[in-house]
Coordinates of all heavy atoms in Angstrom, one line a residue:
M1 N 81.2 154.5 71.0 CA 80.6 155.9 71.0 C 79.8 155.8 69.7 O 80.3 155.4 68.7 CB 81.7 157.0 71.0 CG 81.1 158.3 70.6 SD 82.4 159.6 70.4 CE 83.4 159.6 72.0
N2 N 78.6 156.5 69.7 CA 77.9 156.6 68.6 C 78.3 157.7 67.6 O 79.1 158.6 68.1 CB 76.3 156.8 68.9 CG 75.7 155.6 69.6 OD1 76.2 154.5 69.4 ND2 74.7 155.8 70.4
S3 N 77.9 157.7 66.4 CA 78.2 158.6 65.5 C 77.2 159.9 65.6 O 76.2 159.7 66.3 CB 78.1 158.1 64.1 OG 78.4 159.1 63.1
V4 N 77.6 161.0 65.1 CA 77.0 162.2 65.1 C 75.5 162.0 64.4 O 74.5 162.6 64.8 CB 77.7 163.4 64.4 CG1 77.7 163.2 63.0 CG2 76.9 164.7 64.7
G5 N 75.5 161.0 63.4 CA 74.3 160.7 62.7 C 73.9 159.4 63.1 O 74.6 158.4 63.0
E6 N 72.7 159.1 63.7 CA 72.2 157.9 64.0 C 72.4 156.8 63.0 O 72.7 155.7 63.2 CB 70.8 157.9 64.4 CG 70.3 156.7 65.3 CD 68.9 156.9 65.9 OE1 68.6 158.1 66.5 OE2 68.1 156.0 65.6
A7 N 72.1 157.2 61.8 CA 72.2 156.3 60.7 C 73.6 155.9 60.4 O 74.0 154.9 59.7 CB 71.6 156.9 59.4
C8 N 74.6 156.6 60.9 CA 76.0 156.4 60.6 C 76.7 155.4 61.6 O 77.8 155.0 61.4 CB 76.7 157.7 60.5 SG 76.1 158.9 59.4
T9 N 76.0 155.2 62.6 CA 76.6 154.5 63.9 C 77.1 153.0 63.4 O 78.1 152.7 63.8 CB 75.6 154.4 65.0 OG1 75.4 155.6 65.4 CG2 76.2 153.6 66.1
D10 N 76.3 152.3 62.6 CA 76.7 151.0 62.2 C 78.0 151.0 61.2 O 78.8 150.3 61.5 CB 75.5 150.2 61.5 CG 74.6 149.7 62.5 OD1 74.8 149.7 63.6 OD2 73.5 149.4 62.0
M11 N 78.0 152.1 60.4 CA 79.1 152.2 59.7 C 80.3 152.7 60.3 O 81.5 152.2 60.1 CB 78.9 153.5 58.5 CG 78.1 152.9 57.4 SD 78.0 154.3 56.2 CE 76.2 154.4 56.0
K12 N 80.2 153.4 61.4 CA 81.3 153.8 62.3 C 81.8 152.5 62.9 O 83.1 152.3 63.0 CB 80.9 154.9 63.3 CG 82.0 155.2 64.2 CD 81.5 156.0 65.4 CE 82.6 156.5 66.4 NZ 83.4 155.4 66.9
R13 N 81.0 151.7 63.4 CA 81.5 150.4 64.1 C 82.1 149.5 63.2 O 83.2 149.0 63.4 CB 80.2 149.8 64.8 CG 79.8 150.5 66.0 CD 78.8 149.8 66.9 NE 78.3 150.6 67.9 CZ 77.0 150.8 68.1 NH1 76.1 150.3 67.4 NH2 76.7 151.5 69.2
E14 N 81.7 149.5 62.0 CA 82.3 148.5 61.0 C 83.7 149.1 60.6 O 84.6 148.4 60.5 CB 81.4 148.6 59.7 CG 81.8 147.5 58.7 CD 80.9 147.5 57.4 OE1 79.8 148.1 57.5 OE2 81.2 146.8 56.6
Y15 N 83.8 150.4 60.4 CA 85.1 151.0 60.1 C 86.0 150.8 61.1 O 87.2 150.5 61.0 CB 84.8 152.5 59.7 CG 86.3 153.1 59.6 CD1 87.2 152.9 58.6 CD2 86.7 154.1 60.6 CE1 88.5 153.4 58.5 CE2 88.0 154.6 60.6 CZ 88.9 154.3 59.5 OH 90.0 154.8 59.5
D16 N 85.6 151.2 62.4 CA 86.4 151.0 63.6 C 86.9 149.5 63.7 O 88.2 149.4 64.1 CB 85.7 151.4 64.9 CG 85.5 152.9 65.0 OD1 86.0 153.7 64.3 OD2 84.6 153.3 66.0
Q17 N 86.1 148.6 63.7 CA 86.6 147.2 63.7 C 87.6 146.8 62.7 O 88.7 146.3 62.9 CB 85.4 146.3 63.7 CG 84.6 146.3 64.8 CD 83.3 145.3 64.6 OE1 82.9 144.9 63.6 NE2 82.6 145.2 65.7
C18 N 87.3 147.4 61.3 CA 88.2 147.1 60.4 C 89.7 147.9 60.6 O 90.7 147.1 60.4 CB 87.7 147.7 58.9 SG 88.8 147.4 57.5
F19 N 89.6 149.0 60.9 CA 90.8 149.8 61.1 C 91.6 149.1 62.3 O 92.8 148.9 62.2 CB 90.5 151.2 61.5 CG 91.8 152.0 61.7 CD1 92.6 152.5 60.7 CD2 92.3 152.2 63.0 CE1 93.7 153.2 61.0 CE2 93.4 152.9 63.3 CZ 94.1 153.4 62.3
N20 N 91.0 148.9 63.4 CA 91.6 148.3 64.7 C 92.3 146.9 64.3 O 93.4 146.7 64.7 CB 90.6 148.3 65.8 CG 90.3 149.5 66.3 OD1 91.0 150.5 66.2 ND2 89.2 149.6 67.0
R21 N 91.6 146.1 63.5 CA 92.1 144.9 63.1 C 93.3 145.0 62.3 O 94.5 144.5 62.5 CB 91.0 144.0 62.4 CG 91.4 142.6 61.9 CD 90.3 141.7 61.4 NE 89.4 142.5 60.6 CZ 88.1 142.8 60.9 NH1 87.7 142.5 62.2 NH2 87.3 143.5 60.1
W22 N 93.2 145.8 61.2 CA 94.3 146.2 60.3 C 95.5 146.7 61.2 O 96.7 146.3 60.9 CB 94.0 147.1 59.3 CG 95.1 147.6 58.4 CD1 95.8 147.0 57.4 CD2 95.8 148.9 58.6 NE1 96.8 147.9 57.0 CE2 96.8 149.0 57.7 CE3 95.6 150.0 59.5 CZ2 97.7 150.2 57.6 CZ3 96.3 151.2 59.4 CH2 97.4 151.2 58.5
F23 N 95.3 147.6 62.1 CA 96.3 148.3 62.8 C 97.0 147.3 63.7 O 98.2 147.3 63.7 CB 95.8 149.5 63.6 CG 96.8 150.3 64.3 CD1 97.5 151.3 63.6 CD2 97.1 150.1 65.6 CE1 98.4 152.0 64.2 CE2 98.0 151.0 66.2 CZ 98.7 151.9 65.5
A24 N 96.3 146.4 64.4 CA 96.9 145.6 65.3 C 97.7 144.4 64.5 O 98.7 143.9 64.9 CB 95.9 145.0 66.2
E25 N 96.9 143.8 63.5 CA 97.5 142.7 62.8 C 98.5 142.9 61.7 O 99.2 142.0 61.4 CB 96.3 141.8 62.2 CG 95.3 141.2 63.4 CD 94.2 140.6 62.9 OE1 94.0 140.4 61.7 OE2 93.3 140.2 63.7
K26 N 98.4 144.0 61.1 CA 99.3 144.2 60.1 C 100.2 145.4 60.2 O 101.5 145.2 60.3 CB 98.5 144.7 58.7 CG 97.5 143.6 58.3 CD 98.3 142.4 57.7 CE 97.2 141.4 57.2 NZ 97.9 140.1 56.6
F27 N 99.7 146.7 60.5 CA 100.6 147.9 60.7 C 101.7 147.7 61.7 O 102.8 148.0 61.5 CB 99.7 149.1 60.9 CG 100.5 150.4 60.9 CD1 100.8 151.0 59.8 CD2 100.9 151.0 62.2 CE1 101.7 152.2 59.8 CE2 101.6 152.1 62.2 CZ 101.9 152.8 61.0
L28 N 101.2 147.3 62.9 CA 102.1 147.3 64.0 C 103.2 146.1 63.9 O 104.3 146.2 64.5 CB 101.5 147.0 65.5 CG 100.5 148.2 65.8 CD1 99.9 147.8 67.1 CD2 101.5 149.5 66.1
K29 N 103.0 145.3 62.8 CA 103.8 144.1 62.6 C 104.8 144.5 61.4 O 105.4 143.6 60.8 CB 103.1 142.9 62.4 CG 102.4 142.4 63.7 CD 101.8 141.1 63.5 CE 101.0 140.7 64.8 NZ 100.3 139.6 64.6
G30 N 104.6 145.8 61.0 CA 105.3 146.1 59.7 C 104.8 145.7 58.4 O 105.5 145.8 57.4
E31 N 103.6 145.2 58.4 CA 102.9 144.7 57.2 C 102.0 145.7 56.6 O 101.0 145.4 56.0 CB 102.4 143.4 57.4 CG 103.4 142.3 58.0 CD 102.6 141.1 58.4 OE1 101.3 140.9 58.0 OE2 103.1 140.4 59.1
G32 N 102.1 147.1 56.9 CA 101.1 148.1 56.6 C 101.3 148.5 55.2 O 101.6 149.6 55.0
S33 N 101.0 147.7 54.4 CA 101.1 148.2 52.8 C 99.8 148.7 52.3 O 99.3 148.3 51.3 CB 101.6 147.0 52.0 OG 100.4 145.9 52.1
G34 N 99.2 149.6 53.2 CA 97.9 150.2 52.7 C 96.9 149.8 53.6 O 96.8 148.9 54.4
D35 N 95.9 150.8 53.6 CA 94.7 150.6 54.5 C 93.5 150.0 53.7 O 93.0 150.4 53.0 CB 94.3 152.0 55.2 CG 93.2 152.0 56.1 OD1 92.6 150.9 56.3 OD2 92.9 153.0 56.7
P36 N 93.1 148.7 54.2 CA 92.0 148.0 53.5 C 90.8 148.7 53.7 O 89.8 148.2 53.3 CB 92.2 146.6 53.8 CG 92.8 146.7 55.3 CD 93.7 147.8 55.2
C37 N 90.8 149.6 54.6 CA 89.4 150.1 55.2 C 88.9 151.5 54.5 O 88.0 152.1 54.9 CB 89.4 150.4 56.7 SG 90.0 148.8 57.5
T38 N 89.8 151.9 53.6 CA 89.5 153.2 52.9 C 88.1 153.3 52.4 O 87.5 154.3 52.7 CB 90.5 153.4 51.8 OG1 91.8 153.4 52.3 CG2 90.3 154.7 51.1
D39 N 87.5 152.3 51.8 CA 86.2 152.4 51.2 C 85.1 152.6 52.4 O 84.2 153.3 52.2 CB 85.8 151.3 50.3 CG 86.5 151.3 49.0 OD1 87.0 152.4 48.6 OD2 86.7 150.3 48.5
L40 N 85.3 151.8 53.4 CA 84.5 152.0 54.6 C 84.4 153.4 55.0 O 83.5 154.1 55.5 CB 84.8 151.0 55.7 CG 84.6 149.6 55.5 CD1 85.2 148.6 56.5 CD2 83.0 149.3 55.4
F41 N 85.8 153.9 55.3 CA 85.9 155.3 55.9 C 85.2 156.3 54.9 O 84.6 157.2 55.4 CB 87.4 155.6 55.8 CG 87.5 157.0 56.3 CD1 87.5 157.4 57.6 CD2 87.9 158.1 55.4 CE1 87.5 158.8 58.1 CE2 88.1 159.3 55.9 CZ 87.9 159.7 57.2
K42 N 85.3 156.1 53.6 CA 84.8 157.2 52.7 C 83.1 157.2 52.8 O 82.6 158.1 52.9 CB 85.2 156.9 51.2 CG 86.5 157.3 51.0 CD 86.9 157.0 49.7 CE 88.5 157.4 49.4 NZ 88.9 157.1 47.9
R43 N 82.7 155.9 53.0 CA 81.2 155.8 53.1 C 80.7 156.5 54.4 O 79.8 157.1 54.5 CB 80.6 154.5 53.1 CG 80.6 153.8 51.6 CD 80.1 152.5 51.5 NE 80.9 151.5 52.1 CZ 80.4 150.5 52.7 NH1 79.2 150.1 52.8 NH2 81.2 149.6 53.4
Y44 N 81.6 156.2 55.5 CA 81.1 156.8 56.7 C 81.3 158.3 56.7 O 80.5 159.0 57.2 CB 82.0 156.1 57.8 CG 82.0 156.8 59.2 CD1 80.7 156.8 59.8 CD2 83.0 157.3 59.8 CE1 80.6 157.5 61.1 CE2 82.9 157.8 61.1 CZ 81.7 158.1 61.7 OH 81.6 158.6 62.9
Q45 N 82.3 158.7 56.1 CA 82.5 160.2 56.0 C 81.4 160.8 55.2 O 81.0 161.9 55.8 CB 83.8 160.4 55.3 CG 84.2 161.9 55.1 CD 85.4 162.1 54.2 OE1 85.8 161.4 53.3 NE2 86.2 163.1 54.7
Q46 N 80.9 160.2 54.2 CA 79.7 160.9 53.4 C 78.5 160.9 54.3 O 77.7 161.9 54.3 CB 79.6 160.1 52.2 CG 80.6 160.4 51.2 CD 80.4 159.4 50.0 OE1 79.6 158.5 50.0 NE2 81.2 159.7 48.9
C47 N 78.3 159.8 55.2 CA 77.2 159.7 56.0 C 77.3 160.8 57.1 O 76.2 161.5 57.3 CB 77.1 158.4 56.6 SG 75.6 158.0 57.5
V48 N 78.3 161.1 57.7 CA 78.6 161.9 58.7 C 78.2 163.4 58.2 O 77.8 164.3 58.6 CB 80.0 161.9 59.4 CG1 80.3 163.1 60.2 CG2 79.9 160.6 60.2
Q49 N 78.9 163.6 56.9 CA 78.7 164.9 56.3 C 77.2 165.3 56.0 O 76.8 166.4 56.3 CB 79.6 165.1 55.1 CG 81.1 165.2 55.5 CD 82.0 165.1 54.3 OE1 81.6 164.7 53.1 NE2 83.2 165.4 54.4
K50 N 76.6 164.3 55.6 CA 75.2 164.4 55.2 C 74.4 164.7 56.7 O 73.5 165.6 56.6 CB 74.6 163.2 54.7 CG 73.1 163.3 54.4 CD 72.6 162.1 53.8 CE 71.0 161.9 53.6 NZ 70.5 160.8 53.1
A51 N 74.7 164.0 57.7 CA 74.0 164.2 59.0 C 74.3 165.6 59.6 O 73.4 166.2 60.0 CB 74.5 163.1 60.1
I52 N 75.5 166.1 59.4 CA 75.9 167.3 59.8 C 75.1 168.4 59.1 O 74.5 169.4 59.7 CB 77.5 167.7 59.6 CG1 78.1 166.9 60.6 CG2 77.7 169.1 59.7 CD1 79.7 167.0 60.5
K53 N 74.9 168.3 57.8 CA 74.0 169.2 57.1 C 72.5 169.2 57.5 O 72.0 170.2 57.6 CB 74.0 168.8 55.6 CG 75.4 169.4 54.9 CD 75.5 169.1 53.4 CE 76.7 169.6 52.7 NZ 76.7 169.3 51.3
E54 N 72.1 167.9 57.6 CA 70.8 167.8 58.0 C 70.3 168.3 59.5 O 69.4 168.9 59.7 CB 70.2 166.2 58.0 CG 70.1 165.6 56.7 CD 69.9 164.3 56.6 OE1 69.9 163.5 57.7 OE2 69.7 163.7 55.5
K55 N 71.5 168.2 60.3 CA 71.2 168.8 61.7 C 71.6 170.3 61.8 O 71.5 170.8 62.9 CB 72.0 168.0 62.7 CG 71.5 166.6 63.0 CD 72.4 165.8 63.8 CE 71.8 164.4 64.0 NZ 72.1 163.9 65.3
E56 N 72.1 170.7 60.7 CA 72.5 172.2 60.5 C 73.5 172.4 61.8 O 73.3 173.6 62.3 CB 71.3 173.0 60.6 CG 70.3 172.9 59.5 CD 69.0 173.8 59.7 OE1 68.8 174.6 60.5 OE2 68.3 173.7 58.7
I57 N 74.5 171.7 61.8 CA 75.5 171.9 62.7 C 76.7 172.8 61.9 O 77.1 172.5 60.9 CB 76.2 170.6 63.1 CG1 75.3 169.8 63.8 CG2 77.5 170.8 63.9 CD1 75.7 168.3 64.1
P58 N 76.9 174.0 62.5 CA 77.8 174.9 61.9 C 79.2 174.3 62.0 O 79.9 174.0 63.0 CB 77.7 176.2 62.8 CG 77.2 175.7 64.0 CD 76.5 174.5 63.9
I59 N 79.9 174.3 60.7 CA 81.3 173.7 60.7 C 82.1 174.6 59.9 O 83.2 174.3 59.6 CB 81.2 172.3 60.1 CG1 80.6 172.3 58.6 CG2 80.5 171.3 60.9 CD1 80.9 171.1 57.9
E60 N 81.8 175.9 59.6 CA 82.6 176.7 58.9 C 83.8 176.9 59.6 O 84.0 177.2 60.8 CB 81.8 178.1 58.6 CG 80.7 178.1 57.7 CD 79.3 177.5 58.5 OE1 79.3 177.6 59.7 OE2 78.6 177.0 57.8
G61 N 84.9 176.8 58.8 CA 86.2 177.0 59.2 C 86.9 175.9 59.9 O 88.1 175.8 60.4
L62 N 86.3 174.8 60.0 CA 86.8 173.5 60.7 C 87.2 172.5 59.6 O 86.6 172.3 58.5 CB 85.7 172.9 61.4 CG 85.1 173.7 62.7 CD1 84.1 172.7 63.3 CD2 86.3 173.9 63.6
E63 N 88.4 172.0 59.8 CA 88.7 170.9 58.9 C 88.7 169.6 59.8 O 89.0 169.4 60.9 CB 90.3 171.1 58.6 CG 90.8 170.0 57.7 CD 92.3 170.3 57.3 OE1 92.7 171.4 57.3 OE2 93.0 169.3 57.0
F64 N 88.1 168.6 59.2 CA 87.8 167.3 60.0 C 87.6 166.1 59.0 O 87.3 166.3 57.8 CB 86.5 167.4 60.9 CG 85.3 167.6 60.1 CD1 84.4 166.5 59.8 CD2 84.9 168.7 59.5 CE1 83.3 166.5 59.1 CE2 83.8 168.8 58.7 CZ 83.0 167.7 58.6
M65 N 87.9 165.0 59.5 CA 87.7 163.8 58.8 C 88.3 163.9 57.3 O 87.6 163.6 56.4 CB 86.2 163.3 58.6 CG 85.6 163.1 60.0 SD 84.0 162.5 59.9 CE 84.2 161.0 59.0
G66 N 89.6 164.1 57.3 CA 90.3 164.0 56.0 C 90.8 165.5 55.7 O 90.7 166.4 56.4
H67 N 91.3 165.5 54.4 CA 92.0 166.7 53.9 C 90.8 167.7 53.7 O 89.9 167.3 53.0 CB 92.9 166.4 52.8 CG 93.9 165.5 53.2 ND1 95.1 165.8 53.8 CD2 94.2 164.3 52.7 CE1 95.8 164.9 54.1 NE2 95.4 163.9 53.3
S68 N 91.1 169.0 53.9 CA 90.3 169.9 53.5 C 90.3 170.2 51.9 O 91.4 170.0 51.4 CB 90.3 171.3 54.2 OG 91.2 172.1 53.6
K69 N 89.3 170.6 51.3 CA 89.3 170.8 49.8 C 90.1 172.1 49.6 O 90.5 172.3 48.5 CB 87.8 170.9 49.3 CG 87.0 169.6 49.5 CD 85.7 169.7 48.9 CE 85.0 168.2 49.1 NZ 83.6 168.3 48.8
E70 N 89.9 173.0 50.4 CA 90.7 174.4 50.2 C 91.8 174.4 51.2 O 91.7 174.2 52.3 CB 89.7 175.5 50.5 CG 88.5 175.6 49.5 CD 87.5 176.7 50.1 OE1 88.0 177.6 50.7 OE2 86.4 176.6 49.6
K71 N 93.1 174.7 50.5 CA 94.2 174.9 51.4 C 94.7 176.3 51.5 O 94.7 176.9 50.4 CB 95.4 174.0 50.9 CG 94.9 172.4 51.0 CD 96.2 171.7 50.7 CE 95.9 170.1 50.8 NZ 97.1 169.4 50.9
S72 N 94.8 176.8 52.7 CA 95.4 178.2 52.8 C 96.7 178.3 52.2 O 97.6 177.5 52.3 CB 95.2 178.7 54.2 OG 96.2 178.0 54.9
E73 N 96.9 179.4 51.6 CA 98.2 179.6 50.9 C 99.3 180.0 51.9 O 100.5 179.8 51.8 CB 98.1 180.8 49.8 CG 97.2 180.4 48.6 CD 97.2 181.3 47.6 OE1 98.2 182.1 47.5 OE2 96.3 181.2 46.8
S74 N 99.0 180.6 53.0 CA 99.9 180.9 54.1 C 99.3 180.7 55.4 O 98.0 180.9 55.6 CB 100.5 182.3 54.0 OG 99.5 183.2 54.2
S75 N 99.9 180.3 56.5 CA 99.4 180.1 57.7 C 100.1 181.2 58.6 O 100.9 180.7 59.5 CB 99.4 178.6 58.2 OG 100.6 178.2 58.0
S76 N 99.9 182.5 58.5 CA 100.5 183.5 59.2 C 99.7 183.8 60.5 O 98.6 183.9 60.6 CB 100.9 184.7 58.6 OG 100.5 184.9 57.3

């Protein structure tokens, strides 16, 4: 699947490959002492966020791709 931003698609594939390799070869075997793909994810996340802004996709009120910067004090 391609990314929301055409320029981000290669980063997405690189991250997906890294994560899938780590998940299968380390995490599932109990060797998951951290995710070596964090830097790839952060670069991909920044690319997607830029693409969303450029395409003017409304995202108000949505939490996606990581923790939100603002946490609600109560969820009633």
Side-chain angles (χ1 to χ4, degrees):
M1 177 187 297
N2 290 338
S3 180
V4 66
E6 193 174 313
C8 306
T9 297
D10 287 341
M11 280 186 234
K12 179 188 183 306
R13 288 188 183 127
E14 188 178 358
Y15 169 73
D16 286 347
Q17 288 175 353
C18 180
F19 179 83
N20 289 336
R21 184 173 39 252
W22 168 79
F23 189 77
E25 296 175 5
K26 301 287 184 184
F27 183 80
L28 290 179
K29 295 178 181 177
E31 302 170 19
S33 62
D35 181 356
C37 310
T38 301
D39 289 338
L40 289 172
F41 176 77
K42 287 179 182 177
R43 285 189 291 149
Y44 172 58
Q45 181 183 36
Q46 289 171 346
C47 186
V48 167
Q49 288 172 344
K50 181 180 176 189
I52 287 171
K53 283 183 181 180
E54 289 173 353
K55 292 182 178 201
E56 299 179 357
I57 298 171
I59 59 168
E60 292 78 24
L62 296 179
E63 181 179 333
F64 67 101
M65 291 184 68
H67 300 290
S68 87
K69 294 180 182 174
E70 300 174 16
K71 295 189 177 202
S72 64
E73 293 188 21
S74 67
S75 49
S76 3

